[in-house]
Amino acid sequence: MIIREIKKEDNAKIKEIIQDSLKSLGLAIPGTAYFDPQLNDLHHYYNNLKHARYWVVEMEGEVVGGIGIAPFNEPDKICELQKLYLTTKSHGLGLGKKLIETALSFASKHYEKCYLETTNELKTACILYEKFGFTLLNEPLSGSDHSAMNAWYLKDLN
């Protein structure tokens, strides 16, 4: 297992993983990452933002998932954990945990808080976020793009 920063040649595979995951949950709908305009070129998107990164995880030379950190509310030093998706075959191997550790380690160097949006249907992910110290919010933070999400979390990084 290798976790590394996204390369341009990873764009199509990670887009496929994200969209396949959302489709399998019935979430190939507006208001989810499925229709994010940056999905076609995540490498370019994350490399052109200050204090942002996207990592992919490889198993046996194949990209099986990824995670990103991007600015959310810069004046308040809040970043967003974004686009944590894994292929079905890589579930249950602890890769999500490793990706979150990588992302939060980076985020803690540049931000004071980390925000994320998800759906209650992703029960395993919600449990994992809570294990990492994310607190469930009653509503999204102002500026949220993903209107179809129904679970919002915030974590202090200090």
Side-chain angles (χ1 to χ4, degrees):
M1 184 253 328
I2 298 169
I3 294 176
R4 60 171 173 76
E5 288 186 32
I6 193 171
K7 298 177 186 171
K8 188 172 180 135
E9 56 267 26
D10 300 321
N11 280 332
K13 182 62 179 177
I14 203 68
K15 177 183 179 181
E16 176 187 324
I17 291 168
I18 291 168
Q19 288 186 328
D20 286 352
S21 295
L22 289 165
K23 199 180 301 180
S24 74
L25 297 164
L27 291 171
I29 58 172
T32 69
Y34 191 92
F35 290 105
D36 282 357
Q38 63 268 28
L39 268 192
N40 289 320
D41 194 350
L42 288 178
H43 173 263
H44 178 79
Y45 176 76
Y46 283 93
N47 282 329
N48 284 295
L49 289 173
K50 187 178 177 185
H51 304 309
R53 293 278 189 287
Y54 195 87
W55 299 267
V56 296
V57 58
E58 282 184 20
M59 283 178 44
E60 300 170 6
E62 179 187 356
V63 172
V64 296
I67 194 170
I69 290 286
F72 183 82
N73 177 329
E74 292 189 77
D76 292 335
K77 297 188 176 184
I78 300 173
C79 65
E80 184 177 16
L81 187 147
Q82 301 177 332
K83 295 175 181 52
L84 170 57
Y85 292 95
L86 294 163
T87 60
T88 307
K89 72 179 183 182
S90 65
H91 289 183
L93 302 175
L95 300 181
K97 181 177 183 273
K98 295 277 189 207
L99 285 168
I100 292 173
E101 288 169 350
T102 301
L104 292 179
S105 174
F106 171 82
S108 68
K109 294 174 182 142
H110 305 283
Y111 300 98
E112 293 178 7
K113 294 177 187 272
C114 185
Y115 174 69
L116 70 86
E117 302 170 323
T118 189
T119 176
N120 290 317
E121 294 164 347
L122 296 171
K123 291 179 181 27
T124 305
C126 292
I127 291 167
L128 184 60
Y129 297 138
E130 290 173 14
K131 283 183 180 174
F132 271 93
F134 282 88
T135 303
L136 185 62
L137 304 175
N138 293 324
E139 59 187 22
L141 294 183
S142 178
S144 166
D145 286 337
H146 296 121
S147 59
M149 298 294 99
N150 61 15
W152 313 276
Y153 288 87
L154 192 64
K155 173 182 173 55
D156 285 323
L157 294 173
N158 301 336

